[in-house]
Amino acid sequence: MARIKRTFFQKPTLETARALLGQIMCVRQSDGRVLKGKIVETEAYTQDEPSCHAFCGVTKRSSTLYMRAGTLYVYFTYGMYHCANVVTDKEGYGCAVLIRALEPLWDDANVKAAAGPGKLCRELNITRVLNQTDVCAKSADVWFEHGQNVADDNVVQTTRIGIKKAVELPWRFYIKDSKSVSKRI
DNA sequence: TAAGTGATTAGC
DNA sequence: CTAATCACTTAT
């Protein structure tokens, strides 16, 4: 399976969020096993809108968002969960795509096992140590592979979940016929 | 619908 | 330093 190259992420965040649907996220475990899942739900965040961590400029946490496209941004929230994003667009512009749900491709996984950003990271053992991983580097423990393209009539574009600001922006995408989506409209 | 949980950030 | 906030999940 072909790995996704950096140019894929060097595009506007919304475009990348849509294009990531159907692609495969891969995470190497400490025992050497690789867990793969099809991306079925994403959200876009850019520094121009207040719900983005980069909205208030560069801080210790948000600095990752300003790195080059293809950088993994992992943050810890609500005292017990991690969320995984991929930095997009131009270096120096704080933005990323949140990976919200995967359809598990490994054996013995429940279809709902990675249906939500917190569950996804718990299931794949994604923690802050993976923050700033370059997913385009050969040696990386997290990377993306080309899956199947998803037709427009099988994609739902709607508002993002769990945020307090800029709630009206329709920057969430999910695959309509997937059972692994966290929440539907 | 509410509570649990702790890092992060802004504001003194 | 303190306190509010938070891109979540699970069990009522």
Side-chain angles (χ1 to χ4, degrees), chain A residues 25-37 72 102 106-108 114 119-127 129-130 139-143:
Chain A
M25 185 176 192
C26 312
V27 182
R28 189 185 313 280
Q29 305 297 294
S30 55
D31 62 3
R33 202 156 68 114
V34 175
L35 299 184
K36 302 187 178 190
L72 199 68
L102 300 178
W106 61 91
D107 294 337
D108 74 1
K119 296 171 71 175
L120 182 162
C121 287
R122 187 181 60 190
E123 200 64 25
L124 297 181
N125 297 300
I126 296 173
T127 67
V129 304
L130 291 172
S139 60
D141 290 326
V142 180
W143 67 93

Coordinates of all heavy atoms in Angstrom, one line a residue, chain A residues 25-37 72 102 106-108 114 119-127 129-130 139-143:
Chain A
M25 N -5.0 5.3 8.3 CA -4.1 5.8 9.3 C -3.4 4.5 9.9 O -4.1 3.5 10.2 CB -4.8 6.5 10.4 CG -3.9 7.1 11.4 SD -4.9 8.1 12.6 CE -3.5 9.0 13.5
C26 N -2.1 4.6 10.1 CA -1.3 3.5 10.6 C -0.5 3.9 11.8 O 0.2 4.9 11.8 CB -0.4 3.0 9.5 SG -1.2 2.7 7.9
V27 N -0.5 3.1 12.8 CA 0.2 3.4 14.0 C 1.0 2.1 14.5 O 0.4 1.1 14.8 CB -0.7 3.9 15.2 CG1 0.2 4.3 16.4 CG2 -1.5 5.1 14.7
R28 N 2.3 2.3 14.6 CA 3.1 1.1 15.1 C 3.1 1.1 16.6 O 3.2 2.1 17.3 CB 4.6 1.3 14.6 CG 5.4 0.1 14.9 CD 6.9 0.3 14.5 NE 7.1 0.9 13.2 CZ 7.0 0.3 12.0 NH1 6.8 -1.0 12.0 NH2 7.2 0.9 10.9
Q29 N 2.8 -0.1 17.1 CA 2.8 -0.3 18.6 C 4.1 -0.7 19.1 O 5.0 -1.0 18.4 CB 1.7 -1.5 18.9 CG 0.4 -1.2 18.3 CD -0.3 0.0 18.8 OE1 -0.6 0.1 20.0 NE2 -0.5 1.0 18.0
S30 N 4.2 -0.6 20.4 CA 5.5 -0.9 21.1 C 6.0 -2.4 20.9 O 7.1 -2.7 20.9 CB 5.5 -0.6 22.6 OG 4.4 -1.3 23.2
D31 N 5.0 -3.2 20.6 CA 5.4 -4.6 20.3 C 5.7 -4.9 18.9 O 5.9 -6.0 18.4 CB 4.3 -5.6 20.8 CG 2.9 -5.4 20.1 OD1 2.9 -4.5 19.1 OD2 2.0 -6.1 20.4
G32 N 5.7 -3.9 18.1 CA 6.0 -4.0 16.6 C 4.8 -4.2 15.7 O 4.9 -4.0 14.5
R33 N 3.7 -4.5 16.3 CA 2.4 -4.6 15.6 C 2.0 -3.3 15.0 O 2.3 -2.3 15.6 CB 1.3 -5.2 16.5 CG 0.2 -5.9 15.8 CD -0.5 -6.8 16.7 NE -1.2 -6.1 17.8 CZ -2.5 -6.1 18.0 NH1 -3.3 -6.7 17.2 NH2 -3.1 -5.4 19.0
V34 N 1.4 -3.3 13.8 CA 0.9 -2.0 13.2 C -0.6 -2.1 13.1 O -1.2 -3.0 12.5 CB 1.5 -1.8 11.8 CG1 0.9 -0.6 11.2 CG2 3.0 -1.7 11.9
L35 N -1.3 -1.1 13.8 CA -2.7 -1.0 13.7 C -3.1 0.0 12.6 O -2.6 1.1 12.6 CB -3.3 -0.6 15.1 CG -3.0 -1.5 16.2 CD1 -3.7 -1.0 17.5 CD2 -3.4 -3.0 15.9
K36 N -4.0 -0.5 11.8 CA -4.5 0.4 10.7 C -6.0 0.6 10.7 O -6.7 -0.3 11.1 CB -4.1 -0.2 9.3 CG -2.6 -0.5 9.1 CD -2.3 -0.9 7.7 CE -0.8 -1.1 7.6 NZ -0.4 -1.3 6.2
G37 N -6.4 1.8 10.4 CA -7.9 2.1 10.3 C -8.2 3.0 9.2 O -7.4 3.9 8.9
L72 N 2.4 15.6 13.1 CA 1.3 15.2 13.9 C 1.2 16.1 15.1 O 2.1 16.4 15.8 CB 1.6 13.7 14.4 CG 0.4 12.9 14.9 CD1 -0.5 12.6 13.8 CD2 0.9 11.6 15.6
L102 N -12.1 6.3 13.2 CA -11.5 5.3 12.2 C -12.4 4.1 12.2 O -13.0 3.7 13.2 CB -10.1 4.8 12.7 CG -9.0 5.8 12.8 CD1 -7.7 5.1 13.3 CD2 -8.7 6.5 11.5
W106 N -7.9 -3.9 11.9 CA -7.1 -5.0 12.5 C -8.1 -6.0 13.1 O -9.3 -5.7 13.2 CB -6.2 -4.5 13.6 CG -6.9 -3.8 14.8 CD1 -7.4 -4.3 15.9 CD2 -7.2 -2.4 14.9 NE1 -8.0 -3.4 16.7 CE2 -7.9 -2.2 16.1 CE3 -7.0 -1.3 14.0 CZ2 -8.3 -0.9 16.5 CZ3 -7.4 0.0 14.5 CH2 -8.1 0.2 15.7
D107 N -7.6 -7.2 13.4 CA -8.5 -8.3 13.8 C -9.1 -7.9 15.2 O -8.6 -7.2 15.9 CB -7.7 -9.6 13.9 CG -7.3 -10.0 12.5 OD1 -7.9 -9.6 11.5 OD2 -6.3 -10.8 12.4
D108 N -10.2 -8.6 15.5 CA -10.9 -8.6 16.8 C -11.2 -7.1 17.3 O -11.2 -6.9 18.5 CB -10.1 -9.4 17.9 CG -8.8 -8.7 18.4 OD1 -8.5 -7.5 17.9 OD2 -8.1 -9.2 19.2
A114 N -13.0 2.9 17.6 CA -12.2 4.1 17.4 C -13.2 5.2 16.9 O -12.8 6.1 16.1 CB -11.1 3.9 16.4
K119 N -11.4 8.1 22.0 CA -11.4 6.6 21.9 C -10.3 6.1 20.9 O -9.6 5.2 21.1 CB -12.8 6.1 21.4 CG -13.9 6.4 22.4 CD -15.2 6.0 21.9 CE -15.5 4.5 21.8 NZ -16.9 4.2 21.3
L120 N -10.3 6.8 19.8 CA -9.3 6.5 18.7 C -7.9 6.5 19.3 O -7.1 5.6 19.1 CB -9.5 7.6 17.6 CG -8.7 7.6 16.4 CD1 -9.4 8.5 15.4 CD2 -7.3 8.1 16.6
C121 N -7.5 7.6 20.0 CA -6.2 7.7 20.6 C -5.9 6.6 21.6 O -4.8 6.0 21.7 CB -5.9 9.1 21.1 SG -5.7 10.3 19.8
R122 N -6.9 6.3 22.4 CA -6.8 5.3 23.5 C -6.6 3.9 22.8 O -5.7 3.2 23.2 CB -8.1 5.3 24.3 CG -8.0 4.4 25.5 CD -9.3 4.4 26.3 NE -10.4 3.9 25.4 CZ -11.7 4.0 25.8 NH1 -12.1 4.6 26.9 NH2 -12.7 3.6 25.0
E123 N -7.3 3.7 21.8 CA -7.3 2.4 21.1 C -5.9 2.2 20.4 O -5.4 1.1 20.3 CB -8.4 2.3 20.1 CG -8.8 0.9 19.6 CD -9.3 0.1 20.8 OE1 -9.9 0.6 21.8 OE2 -9.2 -1.2 20.7
L124 N -5.4 3.2 19.8 CA -4.1 3.1 19.0 C -2.9 3.5 19.8 O -1.8 3.5 19.3 CB -4.2 4.0 17.8 CG -5.3 3.7 16.8 CD1 -5.2 4.6 15.6 CD2 -5.1 2.2 16.3
N125 N -3.1 3.8 21.1 CA -2.0 4.2 22.0 C -1.3 5.4 21.5 O -0.1 5.5 21.5 CB -1.1 3.0 22.2 CG -1.7 1.8 22.9 OD1 -2.2 2.0 24.0 ND2 -1.8 0.7 22.2
I126 N -2.1 6.4 21.1 CA -1.5 7.7 20.6 C -1.5 8.6 21.8 O -2.5 8.9 22.4 CB -2.3 8.3 19.5 CG1 -2.3 7.4 18.3 CG2 -1.8 9.7 19.2 CD1 -3.2 7.8 17.2
T127 N -0.3 9.0 22.2 CA -0.1 10.0 23.4 C 0.8 11.1 23.0 O 1.2 11.2 21.8 CB 0.5 9.3 24.6 OG1 1.8 8.9 24.3 CG2 -0.3 8.0 25.0
V129 N 3.7 11.7 23.5 CA 5.1 11.4 23.0 C 5.1 11.4 21.5 O 6.2 11.5 20.9 CB 5.6 10.1 23.6 CG1 5.5 10.1 25.1 CG2 4.9 8.9 23.0
L130 N 4.0 11.2 20.8 CA 4.0 11.2 19.4 C 3.7 12.6 18.8 O 3.7 12.8 17.6 CB 2.9 10.3 18.9 CG 3.2 8.8 19.1 CD1 2.0 7.9 18.8 CD2 4.4 8.3 18.3
S139 N 10.9 6.7 9.0 CA 11.1 6.0 10.3 C 9.9 6.3 11.3 O 9.9 5.8 12.4 CB 12.4 6.5 11.0 OG 12.3 7.9 11.2
A140 N 9.0 7.1 10.9 CA 7.9 7.5 11.8 C 7.0 6.3 12.2 O 6.9 5.3 11.5 CB 7.0 8.5 11.1
D141 N 6.5 6.3 13.5 CA 5.6 5.3 14.0 C 4.2 5.5 13.6 O 3.3 4.7 13.9 CB 5.8 5.2 15.5 CG 7.2 4.6 15.8 OD1 7.7 3.7 15.1 OD2 7.7 5.0 16.9
V142 N 3.9 6.7 13.0 CA 2.6 7.0 12.6 C 2.7 7.5 11.1 O 3.5 8.3 10.8 CB 1.9 8.1 13.4 CG1 0.5 8.5 12.9 CG2 1.9 7.8 14.9
W143 N 1.8 6.9 10.3 CA 1.9 7.3 8.9 C 0.5 7.1 8.2 O -0.4 6.5 8.9 CB 3.0 6.6 8.1 CG 2.8 5.2 7.9 CD1 2.2 4.5 6.8 CD2 3.2 4.1 8.8 NE1 2.2 3.2 7.0 CE2 2.8 2.9 8.2 CE3 3.8 4.1 10.0 CZ2 3.0 1.7 8.8 CZ3 4.0 2.9 10.7 CH2 3.7 1.7 10.1

